């Protein structure tokens, strides 16, 4: 198993997604960055044998649905989880967005080890914006109407309200403010990546799916820069 697969397994824990195929897709994409100890992150020519501490990329869920099993599985996962927890009207809206072949949806994948600080997100999101514009100008399928981020959470039932939700990637709490829709679904505690939280204070592990209009990306990024730089 290569390092990228390891990070993808953290995100898609115990769900039916072809991790090998998705990992190969990220390796092939020039837009993928890997976080390394030497120079924080590198672009392009991802070497699967390199020691990496995180992976950051985006996958077109619309353009690649027809040809890739892993993308169809992610579609099914998102729709199934949305249907389980959302009102029928919200599910209908989400389904229409995912199935609209004219307005593409990009899944932002941002996975890293727990000791990598949130500050690393700033250059990664800046680079992603630059690359999306570059590859879109070259006619590649990176013209997105929406972005989806799946965040790893711990949710506590007690304590101060503002402290009950803990994000594995702290910058995603800022990103959540730009979401026009979000929903949570639970994952099993067993063997899920949990070292990033206090195991002595039991919480429920969840994933939070956030839908963000592409028109809000710059606003989201500037708020991230402002809040993370002050942390």
């Amino acid at each position: 198993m290569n390092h990228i697969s390891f990070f993808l397994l953290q995100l898609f824990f115990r769900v039916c997604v072809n991790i090998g195929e998705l990992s190969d897709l990220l390796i092939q994409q020039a837009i993928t960055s890997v976080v390394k100890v030497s120079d924080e992150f590198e672009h392009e020519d991802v070497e699967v044998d390199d020691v990496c501490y995180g992976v950051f990329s985006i996958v077109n869920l619309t353009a690649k649905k027809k040809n890739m099993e892993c993308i169809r599985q992610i579609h099914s996962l998102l729709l199934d989880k949305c249907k389980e927890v959302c009102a029928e009207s919200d599910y209908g809206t989400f389904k229409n967005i995912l199935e609209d072949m004219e307005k593409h949806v990009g899944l932002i994948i941002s996975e890293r080890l727990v000791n990598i600080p949130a500050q690393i997100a700033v250059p990664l999101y800046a680079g992603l914006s630059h690359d999306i514009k570059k590859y879109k100008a070259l006619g590649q399928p990176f013209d997105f109407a929406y972005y989806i981020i799946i965040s790893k959470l711990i949710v506590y039932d007690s304590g101060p309200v503002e402290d009950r939700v803990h994000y594995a990637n702290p910058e995603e709490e800022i990103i959540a403010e730009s979401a026009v829709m979000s929903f949570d679904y639970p994952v099993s505690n067993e063997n899920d990546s949990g070292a990033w939280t206090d195991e002595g204070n039991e919480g429920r592990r969840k994933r939070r799916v956030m839908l963000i209009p592409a028109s809000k990306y710059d606003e989201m990024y500037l708020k991230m820069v402002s809040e993370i730089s002050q942390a």
Side-chain angles (χ1 to χ4, degrees):
M1 179 176 67
N2 63 52
H3 297 293
I4 290 178
S5 294
F6 167 78
F7 289 111
L8 293 176
L9 283 168
Q10 287 189 159
L11 181 63
F12 296 108
F13 179 68
R14 287 191 173 179
V15 294
C16 184
V17 173
N18 187 331
I19 296 298
E21 185 183 41
L22 183 56
S23 177
D24 289 343
L25 172 61
L26 296 189
I27 290 169
Q28 292 161 13
Q29 287 191 155
I31 205 167
T32 297
S33 298
V34 292
V35 180
K36 297 181 181 180
V37 68
S38 58
D39 46 11
E40 292 189 327
F41 64 94
E42 289 188 0
H43 235 3
E44 308 184 1
D45 301 324
V46 179
E47 297 291 340
V48 296
D49 291 330
D50 286 345
V51 175
C52 68
Y53 296 84
V55 60
F56 188 87
S57 192
I58 188 167
V59 173
N60 191 321
L61 295 181
T62 308
K64 296 186 178 296
K65 180 181 177 183
K66 188 178 294 185
N67 301 320
M68 301 198 72
E69 179 187 44
C70 62
I71 302 303
R72 293 192 296 272
Q73 291 169 332
I74 292 171
H75 266 259
S76 295
L77 169 69
L78 293 172
L79 289 175
D80 289 348
K81 298 302 184 183
C82 182
K83 192 171 186 176
E84 287 176 8
V85 300
C86 291
E88 187 174 345
S89 59
D90 289 337
Y91 170 72
T93 298
F94 189 66
K95 185 173 186 288
N96 288 339
I97 288 171
L98 271 187
E99 295 184 349
D100 188 340
M101 297 304 295
E102 299 299 320
K103 296 181 179 178
H104 289 199
V105 177
L107 174 67
I108 295 176
I109 294 174
S110 179
E111 291 297 310
R112 61 181 185 264
L113 296 181
V114 295
N115 59 340
I116 304 297
Q119 283 76 8
I120 190 64
V122 173
L124 289 171
Y125 276 91
L128 179 63
S129 178
H130 174 269
D131 286 345
I132 286 173
K133 292 172 184 174
K134 178 175 73 173
Y135 290 114
K136 185 169 68 172
L138 294 172
Q140 296 190 28
F142 288 98
D143 187 7
F144 298 110
Y146 292 93
Y147 301 110
I148 286 176
I149 296 176
I150 306 174
S151 293
K152 300 196 300 292
L153 306 175
I154 293 285
V155 179
Y156 297 100
D157 294 323
S158 60
V161 173
E162 64 272 16
D163 294 332
R164 290 186 185 178
V165 177
H166 289 199
Y167 287 77
N169 292 342
E171 72 277 3
E172 290 169 8
E173 185 171 5
I174 301 168
I175 292 170
E177 297 174 13
S178 297
V180 293
M181 178 181 179
S182 66
F183 58 89
D184 297 355
Y185 65 89
V187 295
S188 168
N189 281 353
E190 185 181 357
N191 293 327
D192 186 24
S193 177
W196 53 276
T197 189
D198 178 10
E199 292 297 326
N201 183 7
E202 275 197 38
R204 290 169 288 124
R205 302 200 192 302
K206 293 190 173 187
R207 300 291 182 264
R208 175 163 294 173
V209 178
M210 300 184 291
L211 180 69
I212 302 154
S215 60
K216 288 195 169 187
Y217 190 98
D218 289 345
E219 173 189 324
M220 173 193 82
Y221 172 73
L222 289 174
K223 188 162 189 179
M224 188 192 310
V225 171
S226 174
E227 297 199 17
I228 290 178
S229 63
Q230 294 175 15

